[in-house]
Each structure stands twice: as structure tokens, then as C-alpha cells.
Amino acid sequence: MGFWIFMLICTLMMPAIMIIFGNVFVKHPPKTINGVYGYRTSMSTKNQETWDFAHNYCGRLWTKIGWITLFASILSMLFTFGKGENAVGFIGGILMSLQCVVLVGSIFPVEFALKKRFDKDGNRI
């Protein structure tokens, strides 16, 4: 039971972080382009307009994806309740791996949206 609770908490961390940072990026994005905090890609750092757009878009995306993965993770972990540690660890590990893939994969729609709305120099199309 203790290991199941530990794995449940571990699998809920990534979705919770996505929801929190998604809301922060939408409501309180980094005001200026910087190299420390924020959604930093070559396209998002072209100018202030691309920076603001990227944070708004990424924030909304992370919030949606975060809620979806949160509920999917809870549901998946409920199916492992009462199972052995190997089953719980295996399912938990797969969930966390998929969550990382989803987090990294969220770069693609944000970059696509940036390229759809801005040219290569960061000017609005």
C-alpha cells in the first residue's frame, strides 16, 4: 500500500506541474525575454510579440494536457490498486515515461503555431 501511494504521488507530479506552469504562463508570463525562465526556443525569443504569444499558447496547451494526463494517471493507477509492487512500479514507470513524452512533444504544436503566425524574423504574418 505504501509503494502504491508513493507511485501515485510520483505519477501525479508531472501533470500537476504542467497545470501550475500552464496557469502561470497564461496569467503571469515572464515579462521580458530571458535565458532563465520561460518557454525559450529560437522562434519564441525573436521578439517580445513572439515571446508573449508562445507563453500564452504554451500555457493554455499545458493546462489542457495537464488535466487530461492527471485524470488518465489517476484512472490508470486505480487499476493497479491491490496489485503487487512489480505491477504498480511497471505501470507507474510507463505513465511517467509517457508524461515526459507528452511534455516534450508539446513543443511541436507551439512551434507550429508560432510559424503559422510569424515569419522567420518574428514579424506577424
Side-chain angles (χ1 to χ4, degrees):
M1 177 72 166
F3 183 67
W4 183 85
I5 293 171
F6 171 75
M7 287 304 294
L8 177 66
I9 291 169
C10 287
T11 59
L12 298 182
M13 276 192 207
M14 184 72 70
I17 289 170
M18 288 180 77
I19 293 167
I20 291 166
F21 274 97
N23 285 317
V24 168
F25 279 0
V26 171
K27 295 177 183 169
H28 307 287
K31 302 226 183 285
T32 59
I33 299 169
N34 65 74
V36 178
Y37 166 68
Y39 180 85
R40 297 178 314 272
T41 63
S42 61
M43 190 64 186
S44 69
T45 57
K46 292 282 184 188
N47 58 46
Q48 191 64 41
E49 192 175 8
T50 58
W51 180 257
D52 294 337
F53 176 83
H55 281 86
N56 188 313
Y57 193 92
C58 182
R60 288 183 291 118
L61 182 64
W62 278 4
T63 301
K64 289 175 191 172
I65 292 172
W67 282 111
I68 292 167
T69 56
L70 180 82
F71 290 122
S73 298
I74 290 170
L75 187 62
S76 298
M77 288 304 291
L78 285 176
F79 284 116
T80 65
F81 187 75
K83 305 285 189 219
E85 287 184 1
N86 287 340
V88 173
F90 181 74
I91 297 299
I94 288 175
L95 281 172
M96 288 185 278
S97 298
L98 289 173
Q99 291 168 356
C100 288
V101 168
V102 168
L103 177 64
V104 172
S106 68
I107 293 170
F108 296 107
V110 176
E111 290 301 304
F112 179 75
L114 279 165
K115 289 177 182 172
K116 186 176 173 184
R117 287 168 182 78
F118 298 94
D119 65 15
K120 63 181 174 105
D121 297 320
N123 300 315
R124 196 171 274 278
I125 296 175

